[in-house]
DNA sequence: AGATTATGTCAGTACTATTGACGTAATTTC
DNA sequence: GAAATTACGTCAATAGTACTGACATAATCT
């Protein structure tokens, strides 16, 4: 069962290797832009949840605003992201991807999606669902609300297309 | 299907959240020792593959020796890891965990294992196998040899107990 | 003997993250 | 309407992890 001392070393190790290789694909592309992983994460979430505010982004990424500042500034300066004043609360800055930003987000996601697809290629819907369920169950319960797994949960949130 | 533009954003995002929370448990413990994630990874592999050489460790972690140096030195100075001159090749340094090192490695692995167990608790052997297969398939094919999934592949390697 | 290998180390740099402090504008509260 | 709070931005200092390049030493191989 590959369990020693009651510890599941096998999956611990697999998770490490899997995530490392999973992130290596976009890393190569990012290097061409002088960007790092932090830029990727910001761009990903801005693209996924267009119109989210700075505070919401900080909450999702679980980093400080000082950490976000540099990265977000670079994405704005390079015309990948734009900030719009919040309509309800003018203190807020709603973040949106530009066409250029969407294109980069897509380019970064493509190899990752290909890798996932390849890993699931011989599997049916069952395995895909199981993997999704497993990954979701690995997330801290309090934070599961942050996740938009599919269109079902999406509708509950207020930041849709805009 | 939560797939837009043919991109599997759902699993991409789940993988990010899952890995973030997965690493957060040991991070808290490591902070008490003044260690970081790099120390965890080194200690993990030294504990898992006692007697591995510096070169093998570098190959598994995919980092440079300069990056390893600081971390490994600290683990040796704090009596978590010992180096023994290689028996066949005296240039090599075989790395072994001390009792203290094994204890820490175990303490770090415990919450991760608990999390995995909880995520799989309602599942049978099938789901566990599927998750393992998925994670393994996410790893670059060339690198799968590095992984000891279970006792089956373990026996093929030369570094067992010592 | 000379080349190669395994490891260690010094120096400089980059990226991502942190804490703490302060400023400004907008909203909320009393 | 004045005061407190909130959302965001920014400056400064620090830490952890990684990189490239260069050089040194000892051991092994050719």
């Amino acid at each position: 069962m590959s369990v020693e001392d009651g510890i599941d070393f096998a999956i611990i190790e697999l998770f490490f290797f899997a995530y490392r290789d999973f992130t290596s694909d976009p890393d190569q592309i990012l290097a061409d832009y002088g960007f790092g992983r932090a830029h990727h994460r910001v761009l990903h979430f801005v693209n996924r949840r267009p119109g989210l505010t700075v505070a919401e982004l900080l909450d999702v990424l679980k980093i400080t605003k000082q950490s976000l500042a540099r990265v977000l500034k670079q994405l704005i300066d390079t015309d990948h992201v734009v900030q719009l004043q919040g309509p309800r609360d003018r203190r807020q800055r709603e973040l949106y991807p530009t066409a250029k930003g969407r294109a980069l987000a897509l380019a970064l996601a493509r190899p990752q999606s290909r890798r996932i697809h390849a890993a699931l290629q011989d599997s049916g819907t069952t395995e895909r669902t199981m993997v999704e369920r497993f990954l979701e169950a690995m997330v801290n319960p309090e934070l599961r609300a942050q996740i938009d797994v599919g269109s079902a949960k999406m509708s509950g949130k207020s930041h849709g297309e805009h």
Side-chain angles (χ1 to χ4, degrees), chain A:
Chain A
M1 269 286 284
S2 63
V3 175
E4 299 156 47
D5 300 304
I7 301 295
D8 200 333
F9 281 118
I11 291 188
I12 289 176
E13 223 170 275
L14 279 170
F15 213 35
F16 163 69
F17 285 123
Y19 194 75
R20 183 188 61 183
D21 289 352
F22 173 69
T23 52
S24 70
D25 295 325
D27 280 357
Q28 303 239 304
I29 301 169
L30 289 159
D32 299 336
Y33 291 78
F35 290 160
R37 269 184 214 178
H39 300 83
H40 184 189
R41 290 195 288 264
V42 170
L43 187 57
H44 169 88
F45 284 108
V46 170
N47 190 54
R48 275 279 278 180
R49 298 149 160 81
L52 58 35
T53 64
V54 172
E56 286 169 344
L57 184 53
L58 290 175
D59 194 50
V60 168
L61 295 174
K62 293 270 172 287
I63 57 171
T64 59
K65 63 179 171 180
Q66 295 90 331
S67 292
L68 175 63
R70 171 189 56 97
V71 170
L72 183 56
K73 195 174 189 310
Q74 283 177 293
L75 286 170
I76 291 168
D77 290 347
T78 55
D79 193 38
H80 288 94
V81 172
V82 287
Q83 284 182 315
L84 298 183
Q85 203 170 52
R88 285 170 296 281
D89 186 333
R90 287 183 304 171
R91 290 172 305 178
Q92 294 182 333
R93 302 282 179 272
E94 293 190 343
L95 304 171
Y96 294 91
T98 61
K100 192 176 167 187
R102 273 192 298 274
L104 179 54
L106 210 65
L108 293 168
R110 228 187 305 271
Q112 294 191 310
S113 191
R114 252 194 272 113
R115 183 184 289 268
I116 292 166
H117 189 255
L120 290 172
Q121 67 177 350
D122 303 323
S123 333
T125 323
T126 324
E127 177 150 356
R128 198 208 139 86
T129 308
M130 278 189 177
V131 167
E132 257 183 25
R133 221 197 295 278
F134 169 75
L135 290 175
E136 191 170 356
M138 288 288 284
V139 180
N140 287 346
E142 329 82 76
L143 307 174
R144 294 208 190 119
Q146 293 182 343
I147 309 172
D148 289 346
V149 179
S151 40
K153 289 186 183 175
M154 202 75 172
S155 56
K157 293 227 159 187
S158 55
H159 48 258
E161 274 308 317
H162 254 279

